[in-house]
Amino acid sequence: MSTTKKTDPKKQEKKAEGSQALQAVKGMPDILPKEEGWWKSFRAAGATVAELHDFHRIETPILEPAELFERGVGAATDIVEKQMYAFRTKGGERVALRPEGTAAVMRAYFEHHLGYFASPLKAFYEGPMFRYERPQAGRDRQFHQWGFEIVGDGDSVYDVEVMLATLAIFRELKFPAFTVKINSMGCKVCRASYREKLKNYYRAREKKLCKDCARRLDKNPFRLLDCEEEDCKALRGEAPIILDYLCQTCNAHFKSVLELVEENGIPYEPDPFLVRGLDYYNRTVFEVWGVGAPHALAGGGRYDYLGELIAGRAVPAVGAAIGMERSIAFLKSATPPVALSKERPRVFFTAVGDQAKRASLKRMEELRRAGVPVVEALGKRSLKGQLKVAGKLKVPLALIFGQKEMFEGSIIMRDMVTGAQETVLLDRLVEAVKQDLKKKS
Ligand code: AMP
């Protein structure tokens, strides 16, 4: 006789609904352990470059007063107007998840009088940024940036130093090829007359503009230059370019930047329509593009007015931010695949039997304290199964710790390439492992 109970499918469905596994917020992807190598390589390259170029780490909070970005980045920019995660806390403060890193670095610069300690201040940061954009390939709502900022000097050498540091990361990562697009946004004086020219140009063609551009024509006409809509793109071809309106000082600055870019062998192309989506830029703006990549990998420029906007004090500054997800995606797609930095060889440690398992913690700790990375396999799998795992991980050396070895005060070292095994005394374990790894490296 069958004992299976019939269950009500509706009830079952309801139960499933209630216990459905939750998923990450849209556009905020997890970065999984299998990605670790890429992220590690990026961070290692960043740290090396920061040290070589004398940039120092700064970490600012993820949450800032919303006003910092409204005043700094600009209330009429897409980033602030449409993409900012801003909200009121229970205490009534208006805060925002940072959409970018520069305004916060500048806030910290004034708050902690950093200009007093270093002139210019050379800082770098790394961390997540948040923008409520439509998620698609290369565009997330949470993404990571690595940024360099030089605050306190307006000389063109610093514009190019920021470019060189940014490119040094790409070079360190063995990027196949890249190019830097460069333009100048002028200053308050020359930009104002260009702005008018641009407005007049587009106003005469208003009917052909997309809805977004028609709306932002008055508030932010520069944005019309990088609209992706076909009709707007077509209009851009005939639009006036800022280089024809630069004042003498801005012209001289731009010329000097281009000369230094050439002298330093930076692959570049002038792009008169490069405007960037943040209000605070003046003079030099640039973007780094991987050859064949669909989006810019990094962007930056000079922001001499940001200090005035957020603290009432003008301090010349220049910086750049690299999109880490985009750069890693580009690296992955590069042909031939670029070699990541080599990891230290690891040792595979497997214990057979409960007592050996308990005793292995101490032995692994000895190795780790001596600087040897250890992968442990203390599960219930058979020795054969464990060694199969070791083979997959491509570790050069496995250590086998069984009951017999434990009582004898020894351990088996197995060469994972040749399969040769030798027994060593536990007292000599660290020394023997180090010697063996040295031979293999
Ligand atoms: P920005 O802060 O807009 O100048 O961007 C600098 C770099 O950050 C870009 O070149 C991208 O590599 C990266 N980035 C900007 N927005 C996103 C996004 N929504 N998703 C992924 N990466 C982004």
Side-chain angles (χ1 to χ4, degrees):
M1 200 179 78
S2 163
T3 52
T4 348
K5 264 201 223 157
K6 277 203 173 158
T7 38
D8 178 350
K10 270 199 179 147
K11 263 191 194 163
Q12 231 175 4
E13 212 172 83
K14 218 166 180 186
K15 195 176 164 205
E17 251 173 43
S19 56
Q20 215 170 41
L22 291 170
Q23 301 208 326
V25 172
K26 193 174 165 194
M28 301 204 177
D30 297 310
I31 300 170
L32 301 175
K34 66 176 186 204
E35 302 285 310
E36 186 188 17
W38 298 97
W39 287 81
K40 228 175 168 173
S41 299
F42 193 108
R43 291 186 173 118
T48 304
V49 171
E51 191 179 5
L52 292 173
H53 288 246
D54 193 34
F55 283 87
H56 301 274
R57 182 180 280 272
I58 182 162
E59 289 189 34
T60 58
I62 283 168
L63 220 53
E64 292 279 350
E67 201 185 341
L68 174 67
F69 304 110
E70 286 158 358
R71 274 168 39 186
V73 177
T77 57
D78 278 359
I79 291 179
V80 170
E81 195 180 51
K82 296 194 203 155
Q83 300 169 350
M84 201 157 73
Y85 285 86
F87 56 96
R88 250 179 223 291
T89 63
K90 286 184 181 147
E93 288 165 292
R94 267 196 75 242
V95 294
L97 287 176
R98 61 180 181 197
E100 58 96 57
T102 302
V105 171
M106 211 51 179
R107 183 217 19 87
Y109 177 86
F110 291 111
E111 193 167 332
H112 305 286
H113 313 287
L114 299 181
Y116 182 76
F117 303 103
S119 189
L121 166 77
K122 290 179 80 179
F124 77 91
Y125 61 85
E126 183 220 338
M129 306 295 157
F130 305 85
R131 294 183 195 171
Y132 193 77
E133 304 200 62
R134 196 162 60 81
Q136 51 193 294
R139 207 173 284 281
D140 287 316
R141 291 180 173 172
Q142 174 179 291
F143 57 96
H144 293 72
Q145 287 186 336
W146 183 287
F148 291 114
E149 314 287 359
I150 302 182
V151 186
D153 204 308
D155 198 301
S156 54
V157 289
Y158 290 109
D159 303 36
V160 181
E161 161 66 353
V162 162
M163 285 179 208
L164 285 171
T166 305
L167 298 184
I169 293 198
F170 291 139
R171 214 166 271 128
E172 187 77 19
L173 285 167
K174 305 195 173 47
F175 250 65
F178 47 73
T179 184
V180 181
K181 294 186 180 178
I182 306 183
N183 193 21
S184 173
M185 294 288 293
C187 63
K188 275 182 192 164
V189 180
C190 51
R191 191 160 42 185
S193 53
Y194 173 60
R195 199 184 146 99
E196 279 315 300
K197 278 275 174 246
L198 201 59
K199 257 199 216 170
N200 292 341
Y201 171 81
Y202 279 115
R203 194 163 290 123
R205 293 155 184 84
E206 203 166 346
K207 286 210 179 88
K208 292 190 184 150
L209 292 174
C210 74
K211 259 208 280 181
D212 259 356
C213 285
R215 188 180 51 79
R216 56 193 173 188
L217 172 57
D218 272 324
K219 274 205 233 160
N220 200 349
F222 300 117
R223 300 301 306 161
L224 275 60
L225 292 174
D226 65 359
C227 178
E228 288 297 315
E229 293 291 327
E230 284 309 319
D231 286 349
C232 302
K233 262 192 202 131
L235 287 180
R236 185 173 66 193
E238 300 285 305
I241 60 172
I242 193 163
L243 300 184
D244 292 333
Y245 296 86
L246 290 183
C247 64
Q248 234 179 356
T249 338
C250 287
N251 211 3
H253 186 93
F254 192 48
K255 198 165 153 255
S256 165
V257 167
L258 292 181
E259 278 165 10
L260 287 167
V261 160
E262 291 223 357
E263 271 169 37
N264 285 280
I266 296 176
Y268 79 102
E269 52 185 86
D271 179 348
F273 299 120
L274 180 67
V275 287
R276 322 256 311 114
L278 304 92
D279 271 4
Y280 53 56
Y281 287 117
N282 68 308
R283 294 202 173 146
T284 319
V285 284
F286 65 93
E287 279 182 352
V288 181
W289 287 74
V291 174
H295 312 273
L297 301 169
R302 182 156 277 291
Y303 51 95
D304 297 342
Y305 301 132
L306 180 59
E308 225 168 81
L309 294 169
I310 65 172
R313 275 177 48 206
V315 175
V318 58
I322 304 176
M324 294 172 73
E325 281 84 353
R326 276 192 202 171
S327 301
I328 288 172
F330 183 67
L331 268 180
K332 280 186 190 169
S333 71
T335 42
V338 279
L340 289 175
S341 62
K342 249 177 120 188
E343 298 214 326
R344 269 190 293 174
R346 300 180 295 171
V347 169
F348 191 85
F349 195 116
T350 180
V352 187
D354 275 347
Q355 279 171 302
K357 187 156 105 179
R358 290 179 66 81
S360 21
L361 270 187
K362 193 165 163 231
R363 300 301 160 193
M364 291 190 296
E365 187 62 17
E366 280 169 7
L367 287 164
R368 288 168 173 153
R369 284 191 192 180
V372 180
V374 180
V375 186
E376 78 237 5
L378 307 177
K380 294 213 176 339
R381 248 183 246 218
S382 67
L383 178 60
K384 207 169 145 203
Q386 303 283 25
L387 289 177
K388 237 182 173 170
V389 177
K392 275 197 194 142
L393 290 173
K394 299 205 166 36
V395 290
L397 181 67
L399 299 171
I400 305 163
F401 197 39
Q403 295 293 89
K404 177 170 168 276
E405 287 75 28
M406 198 190 80
F407 288 117
E408 285 174 4
S410 66
I411 194 163
I412 298 170
M413 284 191 8
R414 181 187 172 92
D415 184 314
M416 289 304 293
V417 178
T418 64
Q421 296 195 164
E422 67 171 303
T423 302
V424 293
L425 290 176
L426 283 175
D427 293 347
R428 279 203 57 245
L429 176 61
V430 172
E431 188 192 331
V433 165
K434 281 188 136 180
Q435 262 173 12
D436 191 83
L437 290 179
K438 205 167 170 189
K439 258 195 279 162
K440 290 188 164 77
S441 66

